[in-house]
């Protein structure tokens, strides 16, 4: 089992390139199920979750070539089942449900099951698919969905689920008639997916707002498209500059989609500005404590909550962190406390009392973003931090230790 060893205290300096967004690439790759011909997608990140979705799509009969530029052809789908052994490792596999029903008339997708950060049900996905006319059965831990042809209708999502919005938007592209999807998530990854689907011949308007209109068409053709940069990775590196008092330049992305995180980081005293070809993030010696409350986009992203909490452990006062999206996304707290952080949790609220310095310690990753939080803490801590179960981090960050060591961090994988 790999470990990451960090010797803390180095100020990060230099330039880092942000990879393509995991949470944009996953639905974009799945959207190829709706098409015939060879799709070409650029800026695909090299991540474990991308390897997983490629395996799943190949198990359905898609042909896939390449890496960062990926070519994918779904002419000959031979299977409509997403098996438990694939889905259990990545719940975003649920994204194949809508496209398979729309393209093949049926799908059998394992219920994703919970994960470390919460139960993560998919009831909103299935209810919306039923509204489009699919007959849904839950049996032996699988969702079975059948529909000779989905029919457009008006659907109100009980909550602005990100992959739920993506799932139904994709399914509705091939439905008969118009679908009005209300109370949709507004994440940039949804806008990226809508652009790709329109490139395939879909008729979609309103992505990025709380109402999306999809006028169904009979078929979709292949497209060449590019995945947006990963705003969560960009935010993680900005916080890395903040927590080490460093000065870095982030390239490959711009500030759009980052308003909530940039505003918060500026409130801590950081200087974040646009420079030629990228973003400059400069940390201050004194870190002002700020409160965080996670919200659906454009609010503060839940995927940066753990990383921001690590930063606040060395703030100059009290920071209240409120997690409103997932019911169990504070597993990094006990690990941060092993490093000397002073945090008390009550329900979905954590009160972080800043301490002058963290101390390195052996800690364990529990989920993807918690791993990033512990790496950030290790960068700032005095002494050595040993992070185990690093397979979590590889799901969502491309070569993070290489990128950090190129910024001057003393970090290695063993
Ligand atoms: C997406 O997950 C992201 N994953 C998550 O990123 C991200 O944290 C999350 O959106 C919130 O922004 C991908 O895009 C692949 P939700 P998703 O459906 O779609 C509840 C990361 O670290 N809910 O918006 O699964 C659910 O339990 C990952 O990159 C239902 O109750 O999130 C959660 O509490 C982690 N019923 C809340 O809604 C449903 O049918 C938000 O979930 C669906 C969701």
């Amino acid at each position: 089992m790999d470990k990451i060893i960090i010797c803390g205290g180095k100020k990060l300096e230099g330039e880092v390139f942000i990879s393509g967004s995991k949470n944009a690439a996953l639905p974009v790759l799945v959207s190829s199920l709706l098409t015939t011909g060879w799709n070409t997608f650029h800026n695909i990140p090299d991540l474990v979750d991308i390897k997983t979705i490629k395996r799943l799509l190949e198990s359905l009969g898609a042909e896939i070539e390449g890496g960062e530029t990926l070519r994918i052809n779904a002419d000959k789908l031979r299977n409509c089942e997403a098996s438990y052994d694939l889905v259990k490792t990545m719940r975003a596999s649920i994204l194949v449900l809508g496209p398979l029903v729309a393209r093949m008339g049926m799908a059998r997708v394992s219920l994703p099951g919970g994960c470390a950060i919460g139960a993560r049900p998919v009831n909103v996905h299935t209810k919306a698919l039923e509204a489009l006319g699919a007959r849904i059965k839950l049996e032996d831990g699988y969702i079975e969905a059948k529909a000779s042809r989905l029919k457009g209708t008006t659907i109100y999502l009980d909550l602005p689920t990100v992959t739920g919005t993506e799932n139904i938007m994709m399914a509705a592209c091939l439905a008969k008639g118009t679908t009005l999807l209300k109370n949709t998530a507004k994440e940039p990854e949804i806008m990226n997916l809508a652009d790709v689907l329109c490139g395939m011949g879909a008729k979609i308007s309103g992505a990025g707002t709380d109402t999306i209109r999809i006028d169904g068409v009979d078929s979709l053709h292949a497209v060449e498209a590019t995945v947006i940069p990963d705003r969560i990775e960009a935010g993680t590196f900005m916080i890395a500059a903040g927590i080490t008092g460093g000065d870095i330049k982030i390239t490959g992305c711009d500030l759009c989609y980052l308003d909530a995180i940039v505003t918060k980081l500026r409130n801590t005293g950081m200087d974040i500005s646009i420079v030629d070809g990228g973003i400059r993030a400069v940390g201050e010696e004194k870190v002002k404590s700020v409160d965080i409350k996670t919200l659906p986009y454009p609010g503060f992203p839940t995927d940066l909550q753990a990383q921001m909490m690590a930063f606040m452990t060395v703030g100059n006062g009290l920071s209240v962190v409120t997690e409103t999206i997932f019911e169990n996304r504070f597993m990094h707290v006990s690990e941060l406390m092993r490093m000397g952080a002073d945090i008390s949790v009550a329900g979905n609220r954590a009160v972080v009392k800043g301490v002058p310095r963290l101390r390195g310690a052996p800690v364990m990753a529990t989920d993807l973003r918690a791993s990033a939080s512990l790496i950030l803490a290790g960068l700032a801590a005095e002494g050595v931090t040993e992070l185990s179960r690093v397979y979590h981090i590889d799901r969502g960050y491309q070569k993070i230790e290489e990128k950090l060591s190129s910024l001057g961090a003393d970090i290695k994988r063993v």
Side-chain angles (χ1 to χ4, degrees):
M1 196 91 84
D2 285 2
K3 283 194 167 111
I4 285 185
I5 314 285
I6 303 170
C7 183
K10 311 280 182 306
K11 288 182 184 311
L12 297 192
E13 292 183 351
E15 192 167 306
V16 64
F17 180 76
I18 297 302
S19 306
S21 160
K22 164 176 87 78
N23 291 348
L26 290 169
V28 162
L29 293 181
V30 169
S31 71
S32 58
L33 292 175
L34 297 165
T35 68
T36 52
W38 280 98
N39 294 276
T40 302
F41 297 124
H42 299 287
N43 203 26
I44 301 296
D46 175 14
L47 301 169
V48 168
D49 276 8
I50 297 297
K51 291 188 177 70
T52 303
I53 204 74
K54 284 161 76 170
R55 265 206 329 274
L56 171 53
L57 293 171
E58 284 170 337
S59 77
L60 299 173
E63 283 178 83
I64 303 181
E65 297 166 359
E68 192 176 351
T69 288
L70 202 113
R71 299 182 71 245
I72 182 166
N73 177 308
D75 284 351
K76 297 189 279 301
L77 294 185
R78 62 169 185 276
N79 168 28
C80 294
E81 177 163 325
S83 65
Y84 178 62
D85 66 322
L86 270 172
V87 175
K88 72 173 185 272
T89 60
M90 183 184 66
R91 61 180 315 287
S93 310
I94 191 70
L95 282 166
V96 303
L97 179 67
L100 278 177
V101 178
R103 171 78 189 280
M104 307 294 283
M106 64 167 296
R108 191 165 186 275
V109 177
S110 164
L111 272 166
C115 73
I117 62 177
R120 303 186 73 181
V122 289
N123 55 313
V124 178
H125 298 238
T126 49
K127 199 171 144 206
L129 207 51
E130 270 181 328
L132 286 175
R135 291 182 311 288
I136 305 260
K137 239 175 27 180
L138 298 186
E139 206 169 75
D140 311 328
Y142 277 78
I143 302 166
E144 285 197 7
K146 282 198 176 75
S148 47
R149 173 93 192 251
L150 295 172
K151 283 183 196 53
T153 182
T154 296
I155 299 171
Y156 179 83
L157 298 177
D158 288 350
L159 57 87
T161 154
V162 175
T163 48
T165 301
E166 294 164 345
N167 220 334
I168 302 308
M169 183 167 73
M170 287 192 278
C173 286
L174 294 181
K176 188 166 177 47
T178 296
T179 297
L180 259 190
L181 210 37
K182 294 182 174 256
N183 193 30
T184 44
K186 307 177 204 165
E187 269 69 3
E189 293 74 30
I190 291 169
M191 292 190 264
N192 193 189
L193 174 62
D195 290 346
V196 170
L197 290 165
C198 290
M200 294 168 165
K203 292 186 172 42
I204 301 172
S205 57
T209 73
D210 62 4
T211 302
I212 299 177
R213 178 190 168 111
I214 304 112
D215 294 306
V217 294
D218 292 336
S219 66
L220 294 182
H221 53 75
V223 73
E224 177 162 9
T226 300
V227 157
I228 58 173
D230 194 314
R231 61 191 168 97
I232 304 303
E233 186 189 22
T236 304
F237 276 99
M238 287 181 194
I239 295 171
I243 203 170
T244 61
D247 179 349
I248 69 171
K249 180 178 174 184
I250 295 169
T251 59
C253 82
D254 53 28
L255 281 185
C256 80
Y257 311 142
L258 284 163
D259 292 345
I261 176 75
V262 168
T263 304
K264 277 296 165 187
L265 292 179
R266 283 175 174 153
N267 293 349
T268 69
M270 283 187 73
D271 177 31
I272 297 180
S273 55
I274 295 276
V275 293
D276 55 310
I279 300 166
R280 186 177 174 202
V282 185
E284 277 297 312
E285 280 311 307
K286 230 161 70 63
V287 176
K288 294 193 195 79
S289 294
V290 295
D291 294 341
I292 306 291
K293 179 174 185 179
T294 65
L295 288 168
Y297 190 88
F300 189 92
T302 174
D303 291 349
L304 279 169
Q305 177 259 108
Q307 298 91 314
M308 196 66 192
M309 188 187 287
F311 189 16
M312 291 296 95
T313 63
V314 291
N316 68 347
L318 280 182
S319 159
V320 179
V321 178
T322 310
E323 172 57 59
T324 72
I325 306 292
F326 290 107
E327 67 268 25
N328 183 31
R329 205 170 196 175
F330 282 153
M331 276 158 306
H332 41 287
V333 168
S334 48
E335 299 303 304
L336 288 170
M337 288 171 77
R338 291 171 46 72
M339 299 176 71
D342 178 348
I343 307 170
S344 55
V345 172
N348 72 336
R349 186 156 294 186
V351 178
V352 184
K353 189 172 177 312
V355 296
R357 199 80 202 269
L358 294 175
R359 288 185 315 283
V363 288
M364 186 179 78
T366 51
D367 62 271
L368 166 56
R369 305 303 176 182
S371 328
S373 161
L374 296 171
I375 286 180
L376 292 173
L379 293 174
E382 192 157 358
V384 176
T385 297
E386 198 177 278
L387 176 67
S388 59
R389 302 194 179 180
V390 290
Y391 56 85
H392 288 291
I393 196 87
D394 295 331
R395 293 191 48 181
Y397 288 90
Q398 183 170 327
K399 301 188 178 57
I400 192 162
E401 74 275 8
E402 286 174 28
K403 290 190 177 185
L404 285 170
S405 51
S406 74
L407 292 172
D410 179 345
I411 179 172
K412 57 183 177 301
R413 180 183 292 245
V414 296

